[in-house]
């Protein structure tokens, strides 16, 4: 209400000033052309016609001036709104031109609509922030779906491998071995079902995290046993070297399991058979728990390491490293990589221990 009243008062003031100017011009013009009429009080039809015509012309001029006074800022705002509707959220190019250089305030007649311009700037900022949040949310959804699609390959590989072993007529498996194979297939089918359910998770700009206290030593041990027991990992040497027996960290156990599994699968897929893969779990200072995955494989250079950490895919480590990095960071942890060609790779995961 205050804004409307202020604008109305300013417009009335402008109209009054223009009206006074018109009357002054009429009086001065009449004095210049017919001074005897003012001195002796004589009136004629010619004088009246002149006054009426002059008033009409000046009235039209007044309307034009008022239209110019109101139209310039309104047109500027219309152009700005059109830009906002088109997805351009920066200020118009003439924004600096409508401000005075010394004081930085709006020039006349734009100053009349000072609050409206400020609200337009706030609207542009809000729209820009909303668009950025929407883009980040869409990107996170795409990454979440790509990550699940990538992780679906691992249990499918288990199912394919064990089922191929069962139907291979060259071997005669014992009843116990067949039960073990079918148990693994059942477990991987349940894992597939969990991953499919994760596709229905609602993503609101961040990874859906269900953090809780978990024994990271047991989690790593089960994950490593799962990967090392796969048919395609039989030619690799796995070892685990935890220092304490139990260590608690705060994380999402399901996502952390997927992260560690991806790193271990990478160590298998991208290294030749016979590669030693050692997992070490230790407690550092300041309640930090470190998980180190070391291998003596082919390694890779720092350029590839940086690209793997930043891109969604890479020539050497693919989606696995990227997914692991995102899941670890979502749990408040950090993944660092040390690797050189022909010197192996060290992956370090550092997680925060829960408050005691």
């Amino acid at each position: 209400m205050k804004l409307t009243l202020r604008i109305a008062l300013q417009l009335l003031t402008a109209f009054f000033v223009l009206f006074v100017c018109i009357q002054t011009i009429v009086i001065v013009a009449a004095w210049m052309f017919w001074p005897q009429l003012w001195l002796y009080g004589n009136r004629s039809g010619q004088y009246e016609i002149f006054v009426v015509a002059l008033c009409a012309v000046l009235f039209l001029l007044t309307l034009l001036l008022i239209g110019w006074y109101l139209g310039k800022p309104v047109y500027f705002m219309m152009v700005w709104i059109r830009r906002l509707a088109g997805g351009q959220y920066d200020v118009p190019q003439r924004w600096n031109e409508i401000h005075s250089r010394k004081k930085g305030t709006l020039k006349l007649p734009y100053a009349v609509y000072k609050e409206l311009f400020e609200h337009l700037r706030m609207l542009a900022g809000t729209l820009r922030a909303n668009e950025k949040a929407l883009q980040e949310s869409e990107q996170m959804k795409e990454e979440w779906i790509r990550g699940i699609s990538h992780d679906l390959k691992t249990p499918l590989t288990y199912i394919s491998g064990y089922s191929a072993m069962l139907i291979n007529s060259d071997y005669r498996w014992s009843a116990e071995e067949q039960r073990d194979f079918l148990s693994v297939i059942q477990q991987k089918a349940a894992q597939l079902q969990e991953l499919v359910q994760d596709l229905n998770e609602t993503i609101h700009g961040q990874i859906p995290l269900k953090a809780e206290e978990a024994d990271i030593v047991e989690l790593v041990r089960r994950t490593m046993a799962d990967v090392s027991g796969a048919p395609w990992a039989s030619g690799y040497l796995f070892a685990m070297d935890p220092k304490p027996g139990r260590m608690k960290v705060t994380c999402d156990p399901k996502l952390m399991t997927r992260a560690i599994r991806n790193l271990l699968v990478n160590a298998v897929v991208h290294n030749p058979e016979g590669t030693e893969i050692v997992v070490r779990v230790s407690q550092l200072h300041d309640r930090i728990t470190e998980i180190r995955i070391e291998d003596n494989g082919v390694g890779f250079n720092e350029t590839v390491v940086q690209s793997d950490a930043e891109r969604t895919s890479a020539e050497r480590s693919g989606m696995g490293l990227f997914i692991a990095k995102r899941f670890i960071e979502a749990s408040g942890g950090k993944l660092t990589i040390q690797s050189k060609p022909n010197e192996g790779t060290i992956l370090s995961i550092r997680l925060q221990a829960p408050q005691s």
Side-chain angles (χ1 to χ4, degrees):
M1 184 64 184
K2 292 181 179 180
L3 173 62
T4 305
L5 181 61
R6 187 181 65 80
I7 293 176
L9 290 175
Q10 290 188 356
L11 294 178
L12 286 174
T13 302
F15 183 83
F16 177 77
V17 170
L18 290 173
F19 180 77
V20 171
C21 292
I22 290 173
Q23 295 301 317
T24 304
I25 293 172
V26 170
I27 294 173
V28 171
W31 175 264
M32 291 176 62
F33 287 97
W34 289 283
Q36 67 277 8
L37 296 178
W38 294 95
L39 295 175
Y40 305 107
N42 295 327
R43 296 291 187 269
S44 66
Q46 186 180 8
Y47 169 76
E48 293 176 354
I49 294 173
F50 171 78
V51 171
V52 171
L54 183 61
C55 288
V57 171
L58 293 178
F59 180 73
L60 292 175
L61 181 61
T62 303
L63 292 179
L64 290 175
L65 291 174
I66 292 176
W68 171 82
Y69 188 85
L70 297 177
K72 286 183 63 178
V74 171
Y75 176 75
F76 188 90
M77 287 187 287
M78 289 176 61
V79 172
W80 196 350
I81 293 173
R82 190 183 304 119
R83 287 169 55 87
L84 293 177
Q88 300 179 14
Y89 305 127
D90 54 330
V91 295
Q93 295 179 353
R94 294 183 56 246
W95 179 253
N96 294 330
E97 297 179 10
I98 67 174
H99 286 77
S100 61
R101 294 183 179 180
K102 294 183 179 180
K103 298 181 179 179
T105 56
L106 288 168
K107 300 177 181 178
L108 289 174
Y110 301 94
V112 178
Y113 303 96
K114 178 176 60 177
E115 286 83 359
L116 292 179
F117 280 111
E118 186 61 31
H119 290 164
L120 279 175
R121 290 193 65 180
M122 293 172 59
L123 175 62
T126 301
L127 291 174
R128 187 186 302 110
N130 290 342
E131 183 182 39
K132 182 179 179 182
L134 179 61
Q135 291 176 349
E136 291 176 351
S137 178
E138 290 299 323
Q139 181 180 0
M140 183 59 66
K141 289 179 183 178
E142 292 177 3
E143 292 175 357
W144 178 254
I145 293 173
R146 284 201 304 267
I148 292 176
S149 300
H150 174 272
D151 288 351
L152 285 171
K153 298 176 183 178
T154 302
L156 284 173
T157 304
Y158 280 85
I159 294 173
S160 176
Y162 280 103
S163 60
M165 292 169 64
L166 282 172
I167 64 176
N168 192 335
S169 58
D170 295 337
Y171 296 91
R172 290 184 176 273
W173 307 106
S174 65
E176 183 179 357
E177 289 174 328
Q178 292 179 17
R179 282 195 301 270
D180 291 340
F181 293 165
L182 291 173
S183 176
V184 173
I185 291 175
Q186 185 179 25
Q187 293 174 6
K188 296 309 171 183
Q191 185 180 335
L192 280 175
Q193 186 176 4
E194 287 184 0
L195 291 171
V196 171
Q197 289 176 350
D198 287 344
L199 284 174
N200 298 322
E201 288 279 358
T202 302
I203 310 299
H204 295 291
Q206 58 184 0
I207 295 174
L209 187 69
K210 299 176 182 177
E212 59 182 68
E213 289 188 14
D215 182 2
I216 194 63
V217 176
E218 181 62 23
L219 187 149
V220 172
R221 182 182 290 112
R222 283 190 281 105
T223 306
M224 191 186 72
D226 180 44
V227 174
S228 62
W232 39 266
S234 59
Y236 296 81
L237 305 176
F238 284 85
M240 184 171 177
D241 181 25
K243 297 293 178 62
R246 294 170 59 89
M247 279 183 278
K248 295 287 186 178
V249 298
T250 301
C251 66
D252 185 320
K254 184 169 66 175
L255 296 185
M256 189 57 59
T257 299
R258 286 175 59 186
I260 296 173
R261 182 186 291 116
N262 275 313
L263 297 179
L264 291 173
V265 170
N266 270 354
V268 172
V269 172
H270 301 291
N271 286 311
E273 290 190 2
T275 299
E276 296 180 2
I277 302 171
V278 180
V279 181
R280 308 181 192 277
V281 184
S282 59
Q283 189 77 43
L284 305 182
H285 54 83
D286 297 331
R287 299 184 298 105
I288 299 296
T289 298
E290 183 184 46
I291 307 164
R292 289 169 65 91
I293 301 175
E294 305 175 7
D295 69 66
N296 60 350
V298 297
F300 45 94
N301 57 42
E302 294 183 1
T303 302
V304 176
V305 172
Q306 294 172 357
S307 63
D308 282 351
E310 298 299 331
R311 296 185 302 176
T312 58
S313 61
E315 295 178 359
R316 195 263 179 185
S317 57
M319 282 289 295
L321 182 59
F322 177 78
I323 294 169
K325 183 174 184 292
R326 295 303 296 266
F327 288 168
I328 292 167
E329 291 177 348
S331 295
K334 183 179 180 181
L335 173 66
T336 58
I337 307 167
Q338 300 176 26
S339 184
K340 291 183 179 180
N342 303 318
E343 294 185 13
T345 302
I346 299 176
L347 305 174
S348 174
I349 304 171
R350 294 194 176 188
L351 299 170
Q352 188 76 29
Q355 296 284 348
S356 58

